[in-house]
Amino acid sequence: MQPHLFTPGPVSIPHEIRQRGAAPLVSHRSEPFFSLLEEISARLKRLLRAKEPPVLFPGSGTGALEALAANLIAPGDRVISFSCGAFGDRFREIAGRRGAEVIPADIPWGRGATPDDVKDALARSPDPAVVLFTHNETSTGAVTPLGECIAALPHDGPLVLVDAVSSLGALPCFPEEWGIDGLASCSQKGLLTPPGIAVAALSPRGWARAGSRPCPSYYFDLSLHRRFLEKERPQNPYTPPVTLLCSLAEALRFLEDFGFGKWFRLKARTAETFETACKAMGLPFFVEDPAFRSPAVTAVKVPGGKGKDMKRALEALGVDAAAGQGKEPSLLRVAHYSPGGWPELSLIAGSIYGAGKMCGLDLRPDFSEAAWNCWTREGE
């Protein structure tokens, strides 16, 4: 039986997106591919509200983070790393392996960074060359208010690099409006595409930094990618994942036809309805403050530390969610990327209730009515 995916990547992908990826192959040095790349770039720029062209290359979200570090961080740079979870820690490690002098700014797991956190870190370590943020921390289900945090930095201060791996496509993310100099993401989460495409978006300041010194990596050389994008017909410097790019083009068309703003509101509504169901069952949230809860991923605390047991019970029911990660193994994490709406909400909420009973948890059964009332309330 094909499992129902509620993991924070890969995600359940609509049929028409998968079907576009099954189209006959074309050469990446042909007119059909050049047109495909133009379409993707135009739609991504509208999603990001950006003027600068995004770079797409074979890889994962971690590959996109590596590309930011290779192009925008130099050995010896002082880098303040704001981390509120396992993936913030990963971004920090990538910067350290680049030879940066990394200054940790640890945020308690269970919330995002705040402008006060930024001001405190700058007071302790003034004049950094670079700061690192994670927009949506997948390991905890916490979101950071990036625009507010970046506004707390000095004007024309450090370069701002952002892990948007699990946020792009699922919640508003506007790098040029917010002052982000380097953004990293990928295909298999909010962009509703199979794994395999890394996405990097740079500001004019980011491009100037990238072009000011040689990149130590050919594969991740973003300036090289840009030179190929600026040829008479846009292309990649080496073989790209053509079939995945076909799927990505269809996914972006789907999101834009739906309406980006309307889609973001649907994700927030889906997450709120799921939270209502969990609260009615008696499952507490890892992110206690609703202001920091992600519309893309919800993390619930499983009583008795039975996060992995719940995951196994869900798998027995044909549902795949994610257990905790890093130092929070007792969590169960459920993603809200797919467009399934109420039918999928009913499926995952009912499955969690059933899995909880299988694990011996005392969950309340009246969650369905509470969730339905939230989903159908006036004005939605």
Side-chain angles (χ1 to χ4, degrees):
M1 180 175 64
Q2 179 70 31
H4 297 277
L5 277 179
F6 291 91
T7 55
V11 301
S12 180
I13 297 171
H15 172 73
E16 57 269 28
I17 296 173
R18 289 185 283 114
Q19 191 173 42
R20 177 84 182 267
L25 274 171
V26 299
S27 167
H28 63 290
R29 303 292 185 221
S30 68
E31 186 60 36
F33 181 79
F34 302 153
S35 297
L36 176 73
L37 208 54
E38 282 182 329
E39 176 191 354
I40 292 171
S41 181
R43 291 190 190 277
L44 269 177
K45 285 196 286 186
R46 289 193 289 270
L47 174 64
L48 295 165
R49 295 184 185 173
K51 296 178 181 178
E52 297 294 324
V55 171
L56 307 169
F57 55 94
S60 63
T62 301
L65 295 172
E66 287 274 10
L68 293 190
N71 288 269
L72 301 175
I73 297 176
D77 277 351
R78 297 178 72 244
V79 175
I80 295 180
S81 164
F82 293 93
S83 177
C84 56
F87 290 98
D89 290 351
R90 179 181 296 185
F91 202 3
R92 175 180 297 170
E93 182 177 351
I94 289 170
R97 292 190 180 203
R98 180 72 179 101
E101 177 193 342
V102 178
I103 302 162
D106 288 322
I107 311 301
W109 285 34
R111 70 169 176 87
T114 67
D116 285 341
D117 293 322
V118 174
K119 294 172 186 176
D120 290 345
L122 289 174
R124 294 191 303 270
S125 304
D127 301 320
V130 178
V131 295
L132 310 180
F133 291 104
T134 302
H135 189 194
N136 188 77
E137 178 51 69
T138 321
S139 67
T140 65
V143 68
T144 284
L146 278 181
E148 298 172 25
C149 288
I150 294 169
L153 293 167
H155 182 65
D156 289 331
L159 285 184
V160 178
L161 308 188
V162 170
D163 172 348
V165 168
S166 64
S167 62
L168 181 60
L171 56 155
C173 187
F174 307 130
E176 293 182 14
E177 293 181 13
W178 294 348
I180 296 170
D181 297 299
L183 176 143
S185 194
C186 59
S187 56
Q188 76 269 18
K189 300 178 188 286
L191 294 180
L192 298 178
T193 302
I197 303 173
V199 180
L202 272 58
S203 70
R205 195 165 68 134
W207 282 117
R209 174 70 64 88
S212 68
R213 53 199 175 196
C215 178
S217 167
Y218 184 93
Y219 193 89
F220 292 131
D221 187 343
L222 298 180
S223 295
L224 173 66
H225 279 270
R226 180 157 188 171
R227 288 197 295 274
F228 272 75
L229 286 175
E230 292 175 343
K231 286 178 176 286
E232 183 178 352
R233 301 297 284 131
Q235 51 195 285
N236 296 81
Y238 47 76
T239 307
V242 176
T243 55
L244 294 178
L245 289 168
C246 289
S247 291
L248 178 59
E250 184 64 23
L252 289 167
R253 184 204 62 77
F254 168 82
L255 292 174
E256 190 162 23
D257 287 353
F258 192 94
F260 295 138
K262 183 181 175 184
W263 179 255
F264 297 147
R265 291 191 294 274
L266 174 63
K267 297 299 96 183
R269 179 185 175 200
T270 300
E272 184 183 4
T273 302
F274 178 73
E275 290 168 10
T276 299
C278 290
K279 184 177 180 180
M281 284 185 225
L283 288 171
F285 305 109
F286 184 64
V287 179
E288 295 179 357
D289 186 343
F292 289 110
R293 284 187 202 146
S294 165
V297 181
T298 300
V300 295
K301 294 191 285 188
V302 182
K306 295 184 177 181
K308 292 183 178 179
D309 293 339
M310 280 282 280
K311 175 176 170 57
R312 285 191 288 267
L314 283 168
E315 288 173 351
L317 296 173
V319 171
D320 199 354
Q325 194 165 9
K327 62 184 181 182
E328 292 296 341
S330 66
L331 301 183
L332 183 72
R333 296 175 296 134
V334 174
H336 311 299
Y337 292 111
S338 79
W342 176 254
E344 284 200 351
L345 278 166
S346 299
L347 172 65
I348 185 59
S351 297
I352 285 176
Y353 177 79
K357 302 301 281 187
M358 291 166 65
C359 292
L361 302 182
D362 184 21
L363 301 182
R364 296 191 292 269
D366 55 350
F367 62 90
S368 188
E369 183 176 0
W372 176 250
N373 289 339
C374 179
W375 181 254
T376 59
R377 69 188 176 195
E378 188 175 352
E380 298 293 348

